[in-house]
Amino acid sequence: MALLISRNEEGERISAIANRLPPIPVHGFTKTIQAITYLITILATIIVALRVYVRVRLSGSQRAWGWDDIFAVAGWVPLIPSVVFLILATYYGLGAHDDHVPDGMLIYYQVRVKSYMFLFEMIYFASSILTKLAMAIMILRLSSTRTYVYIIWGNIALLSVNALVCLIIMFASCSPLPALWNEKLGYCRLKNGWIIISYVGSVVLAMVDWTCAITPFFMLRRLQMPTRRKVSVQIILSLGIIGSAAGLVRLGYYHAYDTDKYPHESLYNWGSTILWSLLEAGLGIISCSLPPLRRLFKKFYQGSSGQSDMKSGPGTTDVRTPSQWDGLKRH
């Protein structure tokens, strides 16, 4: 008992010092993280704003606003606070090499940065889940073919289970919760819980991205439309692969969360992890909101097709064409 009390006191001392730390000058890789963060956030915001504009102003009398739009906007909202915590982390060493941290203060900066990382990753995870749900619902709108409907609903179920399991592991790993980033504040039942859910969550999200990206190829392959237009539609719908690629690259940096095994260059490696997480979330939001912007590029599509209507080939009468993205009514 006395040992536990002493350990808690040490943890509180570390937290007190970490909370009073001065910022570290931003340079090198940390500046790169900040620049990419601002760029991705601005682009994602513009694309989502254009999506809302298209749905509200360019859809005429058609009821184009639906659940996929609601989830897409809801997925963008958490991006903003997650970016705030990311930027705060950069001012306290995220992305910095060990020799840029004041001597003897690395452990305190690790605690400060990891607390911001926890908040970032929780909010970013919510953003990614909502964005992928938006993409899945959009694909459901495009097809009534039972096989594809089952595949997408399976994706939605997998996302839900993944989110629930990850949250349970995250909040049950350590007691109290701040022991996740300052272990001496308490104890951890599952010492590597953060690492485990990071790996599992990333793999599941990548699987969902690839499923949502590949399914439209099969949905559209028999449609009789100009090749240029078909390729354009398929590329737009498959852009989620780019975000999943960022998530897979991130897998190579999760080991750095274990500072006992990998005590050196932790802040620098964490910077790579968080940067790839941001790219996954931001690119996911962008790719999710690009398909509804087809109306903004209507002249391009008209010029490539020479006609406004498309006819379906044999066996595809139950597949809704991309021209229905903006005008499909909800039931």
Side-chain angles (χ1 to χ4, degrees):
M1 185 65 177
L3 180 61
L4 180 60
I5 293 175
S6 175
R7 180 181 175 86
N8 289 342
E9 289 176 350
E10 175 65 9
E12 291 174 359
R13 185 187 69 83
I14 292 174
S15 292
I17 295 175
N19 291 332
R20 295 196 302 266
L21 290 172
I24 294 178
V26 175
H27 57 273
F29 182 44
T30 304
K31 275 190 175 180
T32 302
I33 294 174
Q34 289 187 345
I36 294 176
T37 298
Y38 291 131
L39 176 62
I40 290 295
T41 304
I42 292 171
L43 286 177
T45 301
I46 291 173
I47 295 298
V48 171
L50 288 174
R51 178 189 185 122
V52 173
Y53 174 76
V54 167
R55 293 303 203 196
V56 174
R57 299 297 299 273
L58 299 185
S59 298
S61 60
Q62 298 171 330
R63 294 167 54 198
W65 188 268
W67 282 105
D68 54 333
D69 302 294
I70 293 173
F71 277 102
V73 175
W76 166 80
V77 171
L79 178 69
I80 306 305
S82 70
V83 163
V84 171
F85 289 118
L86 191 161
I87 295 299
L88 284 173
T90 60
Y91 285 111
Y92 290 93
L94 182 68
H97 290 287
D98 288 352
D99 57 3
H100 294 156
V101 179
D103 291 340
M105 302 299 289
L106 180 60
I107 184 175
Y108 306 109
Y109 278 100
Q110 286 175 335
V111 169
R112 182 71 174 265
V113 169
K114 209 166 186 179
S115 66
Y116 289 134
M117 286 172 54
F118 171 80
L119 295 170
F120 165 83
E121 292 201 0
M122 291 298 296
I123 302 172
Y124 132 82
F125 188 64
S127 175
S128 291
I129 293 292
L130 292 169
T131 300
K132 294 178 196 318
L133 284 173
M135 182 65 77
I137 293 171
M138 183 189 69
I139 295 175
L140 283 176
R141 292 180 60 194
L142 299 180
S143 175
S144 59
T145 303
R146 185 169 297 180
T147 300
Y148 300 134
V149 170
Y150 286 160
I151 290 173
I152 298 305
W153 274 112
N155 258 10
I156 293 175
L158 181 61
L159 272 175
S160 303
V161 172
N162 177 59
L164 180 61
V165 171
C166 287
L167 286 174
I168 290 174
I169 294 176
M170 177 66 83
F171 285 96
S173 292
C174 296
S175 181
L177 185 62
L180 275 170
W181 55 86
N182 182 3
E183 191 176 345
K184 291 188 177 180
L185 280 174
Y187 67 96
C188 291
R189 305 175 187 88
L190 189 60
K191 183 175 176 59
N192 294 321
W194 193 334
I195 299 175
I196 292 172
I197 65 172
S198 296
Y199 279 116
V200 173
S202 295
V203 171
V204 171
L205 292 180
M207 289 171 57
V208 171
D209 279 334
W210 280 82
T211 302
C212 288
I214 293 173
T215 300
F217 279 86
F218 294 97
M219 290 169 49
L220 301 175
R221 61 180 177 173
R222 292 184 180 180
L223 289 181
Q224 294 179 357
M225 68 171 73
T227 301
R228 183 181 178 185
R229 185 171 186 178
K230 182 182 291 188
V231 170
S232 298
V233 171
Q234 290 173 331
I235 289 175
I236 290 174
L237 288 174
S238 63
L239 286 176
I241 291 178
I242 300 175
S244 71
L248 292 176
V249 171
R250 179 183 57 202
L251 294 176
Y253 297 95
Y254 280 140
H255 66 275
Y257 284 0
D258 189 346
T259 53
D260 291 334
K261 288 185 178 180
Y262 306 95
H264 304 297
E265 297 295 324
S266 56
L267 295 175
Y268 182 84
N269 288 323
W270 294 352
S272 297
T273 303
I274 297 302
L275 178 58
W276 286 111
S277 296
L278 171 75
L279 288 171
E280 180 194 19
L283 293 174
I285 291 171
I286 291 171
S287 62
C288 173
S289 290
L290 281 178
L293 303 190
R294 191 185 63 85
R295 283 181 175 272
L296 294 178
F297 305 99
K298 190 173 182 180
K299 290 183 180 180
F300 169 79
Y301 284 109
Q302 287 177 336
S304 64
S305 65
Q307 58 182 11
S308 59
D309 297 324
M310 296 180 297
K311 296 181 180 180
S312 301
T316 61
T317 56
D318 59 343
V319 178
R320 299 184 181 112
T321 63
S323 62
Q324 294 172 296
W325 288 347
D326 304 299
L328 192 62
K329 291 185 178 182
R330 282 12 177 233
H331 298 285

